[in-house]
Amino acid sequence: MGRYVPPDLEGTTSGNALHKKRAPGTLRKDGTQTVRFEMPFAVICHTCQPLQIIGQGVRFNAVKARVGQYFSTPIWSFALKHVACGGAIEIRTDPKNTAYLVVKGGKARDYGDGGDEVRREGEGGVPILTAEERERRRGDAFARLEGEVVDKGAVEGNARRIAELYREKERDWEDPWEANRKMRTSARRERKVRKREEEADEALKVRLGTDMELLPETEEDAQRVKLVTFGEAGDDSVPSHTRHKAFFEKSSASRLVTAPSKVAKESRKEALRRQLVENTRAALDPFGDD
């Protein structure tokens, strides 16, 4: 922690020594030290009135001390003070059950009866078992055997899949030169196809006199094109006046007009649209019942 040091004392002492404070985490003579402790689960404080819940993940400055051991594993105690009420809470590690225990000042929040397993999952999706379920599994040889069989089956399945991947890799890259040749051939073919498509698009834009980017052709476009046909000679479904008439024939009125106005341009556009509609028919009505 940064503490104020006067300019005339800089370099001669530290802030903690000047203010007679101990640096966080420093081991004391009695074997304790102050650490930053994070609540492993929600805890109900017994000192608060009414009772309040300290949420999981809340951090405190706690005094860490060794209070015992389970075989060769030490049991640690974390003594902290709830800032809301000033009550003392002590939490200890439980190496036997790989858990934490609240031994003073509160109790762990009860999430309700979750059956054989608590309805929460730890890191990696591993279920957190209750104490009863943990004891039952420890004494149930058949449950232990079933778990080992399931784990063994998963390991064998993963091993087979890894072996298949290695075989496929060895088969595909048995001849590196041949594999690279196939990749180069495929890339060259695709590059030529893309080049032809780009040239066709540029030619179409030049013919239409536009700089708009053309989207690639899709399957839906091909289906729509198949639904449209143009009239041919001898087709009775096409009006007779359109079979014997020039597609872009200019009217006599348009020849006389030397400086067409905006109205004249719109009328010619509407006439062209009408001729296109008359000369085009749908091979299949997309909105029909059949």
Side-chain angles (χ1 to χ4, degrees):
M1 180 182 295
R3 301 184 186 276
Y4 175 73
V5 178
D8 55 341
L9 296 180
E10 286 185 356
T12 61
T13 183
S14 64
N16 292 321
L18 180 63
H19 295 276
K20 298 181 180 180
K21 298 291 184 179
R22 185 181 299 273
T26 303
L27 192 64
R28 302 183 181 90
K29 294 181 180 180
D30 58 355
T32 62
Q33 63 179 142
T34 301
V35 297
R36 196 69 172 165
F37 181 77
E38 182 176 321
M39 281 293 182
F41 42 73
V43 174
I44 300 176
C45 179
H46 287 172
T47 308
C48 293
Q49 295 298 330
L51 300 180
Q52 292 187 6
I53 297 177
I54 304 174
Q56 179 182 359
V58 179
R59 297 179 178 180
F60 296 89
N61 287 336
V63 177
K64 178 182 176 182
R66 181 170 179 172
V67 295
Q69 64 182 30
Y70 176 74
F71 294 103
S72 60
T73 304
I75 298 177
W76 298 101
S77 170
F78 299 92
L80 52 95
K81 182 176 69 173
H82 189 198
V83 294
C85 63
I89 299 176
E90 183 179 353
I91 299 177
R92 294 185 180 182
T93 59
D94 184 9
K96 180 179 179 180
N97 299 314
T98 62
Y100 287 93
L101 297 177
V102 182
V103 297
K104 178 183 177 183
K107 68 174 183 178
R109 181 181 179 181
D110 186 5
Y111 288 91
D113 185 12
D116 293 338
E117 295 181 2
V118 178
R119 301 304 181 188
R120 293 178 293 142
E121 293 188 353
E123 295 296 332
V126 179
I128 302 176
L129 305 180
T130 61
E132 293 78 7
E133 174 64 12
R134 192 177 295 108
E135 289 295 333
R136 189 184 68 81
R137 290 197 176 187
R138 185 175 290 111
D140 192 347
F142 288 104
R144 189 185 312 121
L145 181 60
E146 288 180 3
E148 293 177 357
V149 170
V150 172
D151 295 341
K152 184 178 180 180
V155 171
E156 291 178 353
N158 294 336
R160 285 195 298 268
R161 179 55 181 162
I162 293 174
E164 292 176 0
L165 293 176
Y166 272 111
R167 286 196 297 269
E168 292 178 2
K169 179 182 178 181
E170 293 176 357
R171 181 192 61 197
D172 296 340
W173 292 94
E174 183 178 3
D175 188 354
W177 185 89
E178 182 65 20
N180 286 324
R181 186 188 65 81
K182 292 181 180 179
M183 294 173 60
R184 290 195 302 271
T185 302
S186 176
R188 193 180 302 112
R189 188 183 306 111
E190 293 176 359
R191 185 169 61 251
K192 290 181 179 179
V193 171
R194 288 196 301 269
K195 185 177 180 180
R196 286 197 298 269
E197 292 177 352
E198 292 175 358
E199 292 177 352
D201 292 344
E202 290 297 330
L204 182 59
K205 288 194 290 187
V206 171
R207 187 164 63 251
L208 296 177
T210 180
D211 293 333
M212 296 176 59
E213 292 295 331
L214 302 179
L215 297 177
E217 182 181 354
T218 61
E219 183 66 22
E220 184 181 359
D221 297 337
Q223 294 295 335
R224 287 182 176 274
V225 168
K226 292 180 181 178
L227 297 177
V228 178
T229 59
F230 295 92
E232 299 178 357
D235 190 353
D236 296 336
S237 62
V238 181
S240 59
H241 68 278
T242 60
R243 291 200 299 267
H244 306 289
K245 189 175 181 182
F247 191 72
F248 293 103
E249 179 181 5
K250 294 183 179 180
S251 62
S252 57
S254 63
R255 298 192 190 98
L256 297 177
V257 177
T258 57
S261 62
K262 182 178 181 181
V263 177
K265 287 184 179 180
E266 293 181 354
S267 62
R268 288 203 303 273
K269 186 184 300 184
E270 181 64 24
L272 177 60
R273 187 191 67 79
R274 194 182 304 109
Q275 283 187 350
L276 291 174
V277 172
E278 293 176 354
N279 296 347
T280 307
R281 65 182 180 85
L284 178 64
D285 186 3
F287 302 100
D289 297 335
D290 297 338

